[in-house]
């Protein structure tokens, strides 16, 4: 997605060879116009897939997922990473280990919002090691619903997440694919 790549080049900060900071439009401050374009692109890619629900994970997946939900006309569920006061019973839960942060968290959604007839699109802001996407897919499988695809805003293609998800048979659509963050510069995958 050209506009997203331009945005990353203009505003992204390479913190290390592994980490890209995009706090100005995705992970802290949110650029609604950029998010709308991202939602439109996800909708274009998945418009014929019969999607009935979108699932993401708090916090940074929510903005792109909501925009995609608006474009596709479907509800958006965000998995919780922290205990909620109101969300207690009838939960699907999955454990997600973050290699980036070296912490394990339990993600959860209520079983009220997903059923076996749902065709679900998973959306997340970053794809690194694929553990968040796999955890979300696990929640969907617990509901016996179908994972139609995985939509990612920024994929770090030099990390193993994409291949892991493809090996498991998932359709992966990443709007920006970062090949390398070496030497303080962002290089994209060119197909
Ligand atoms: P994985 O799900 O692909 O295995 O990724 P990993 O555990 O390694 O990453 C965990 C968290 O770190 C996620 O955010 C992910 O979005 C974020 N992350 C990974 N690599 C980068 C990067 O290069 N840049 C930025 N900005 N974030 C990265 P999270 O903990 O869920 O945070 P949030 O959604 O609440 O913001």
């Amino acid at each position: 997605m050209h506009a997203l790549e331009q945005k990353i080049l203009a505003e992204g900060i390479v913190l290390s060879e592994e980490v890209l900071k995009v706090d100005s439009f995705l992970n802290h401050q949110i650029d609604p116009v950029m998010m709308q374009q991202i939602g439109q692109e996800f909708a274009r890619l998945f418009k014929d897939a019969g999607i009935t629900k979108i699932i993401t994970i708090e916090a940074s997946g929510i903005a792109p997922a909501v925009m995609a939900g608006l474009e596709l006309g479907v509800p958006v569920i965000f998995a919780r990473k922290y205990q909620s006061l109101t969300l207690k019973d009838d939960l699907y839960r999955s454990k997600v280990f973050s290699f980036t942060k070296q912490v394990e968290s339990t993600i959860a959604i209520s079983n009220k919002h997903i059923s076996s007839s749902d065709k679900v699109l998973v959306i997340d802001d970053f794809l690194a090691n694929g553990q968040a996407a796999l955890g979300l897919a696990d929640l969907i499988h617990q509901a016996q619903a179908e994972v139609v695809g995985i939509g990612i805003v920024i994929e770090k293609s030099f990390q193993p997440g994409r291949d892991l998800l493809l090996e498991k048979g998932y359709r992966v659509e990443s709007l920006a694919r970062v090949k390398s963050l070496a030497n303080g510069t962002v290089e994209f995958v060119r197909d």
Side-chain angles (χ1 to χ4, degrees):
M1 186 182 165
H2 183 72
L4 176 60
E5 289 188 356
Q6 292 306 308
K7 189 82 169 167
I8 293 168
L9 290 176
E11 298 184 17
I13 297 167
V14 177
L15 286 188
S16 69
E17 293 204 348
E18 305 240 303
V19 179
L20 175 66
K21 181 170 170 165
V22 284
D23 276 18
S24 72
F25 66 94
L26 183 60
N27 291 132
H28 193 26
Q29 174 172 263
I30 290 171
D31 179 337
V33 174
M34 189 73 245
M35 288 307 130
Q36 186 177 37
Q37 291 173 355
I38 284 168
Q40 287 166 347
E41 184 62 6
F42 281 134
R44 188 186 69 76
L45 289 164
F46 288 101
K47 67 179 183 312
D48 298 323
I51 288 157
T52 61
K53 291 263 160 83
I54 292 174
I55 289 192
T56 188
I57 184 166
E58 64 179 345
S60 300
I62 296 175
V66 167
M67 289 305 189
L70 192 61
E71 294 293 330
L72 287 165
V74 298
V76 177
I77 305 163
F78 65 93
R80 300 250 184 190
K81 278 190 288 199
Y82 309 101
Q83 269 206 332
S84 156
L85 189 64
T86 54
L87 193 68
K88 288 206 182 297
D89 307 319
D90 308 322
L91 298 178
Y92 296 124
R93 291 189 182 84
S94 189
K95 287 204 162 91
V96 173
F97 181 73
S98 168
F99 291 100
T100 306
K101 296 185 173 172
Q102 291 290 309
V103 290
E104 185 181 74
S105 55
T106 299
I107 62 170
I109 59 170
S110 163
N111 67 9
K112 289 190 187 61
H113 302 302
I114 180 164
S115 71
S116 58
S117 59
D118 276 318
K119 295 173 75 118
V120 186
L121 171 62
V122 172
I123 285 188
D124 208 358
D125 57 336
F126 268 89
L127 175 59
N129 295 287
Q131 298 306 302
L134 284 180
L136 291 169
D138 180 34
L139 299 177
I140 297 163
H141 293 312
Q142 287 179 44
Q144 281 157 25
E146 183 187 342
V147 179
V148 170
I150 298 173
I152 299 293
V153 180
I154 303 176
E155 170 190 305
K156 292 188 290 180
S157 308
F158 54 88
Q159 291 185 314
R162 181 189 183 84
D163 288 343
L164 188 66
L165 299 177
L166 292 179
E167 265 167 36
K168 296 197 179 281
Y170 297 118
R171 175 182 171 194
V172 180
E173 299 283 359
S174 303
L175 305 190
R177 299 186 64 203
V178 175
K179 185 178 170 185
S180 160
L181 293 173
N183 306 316
T185 52
V186 183
E187 194 185 339
F188 295 105
V189 174
R190 296 278 165 243
D191 335 271

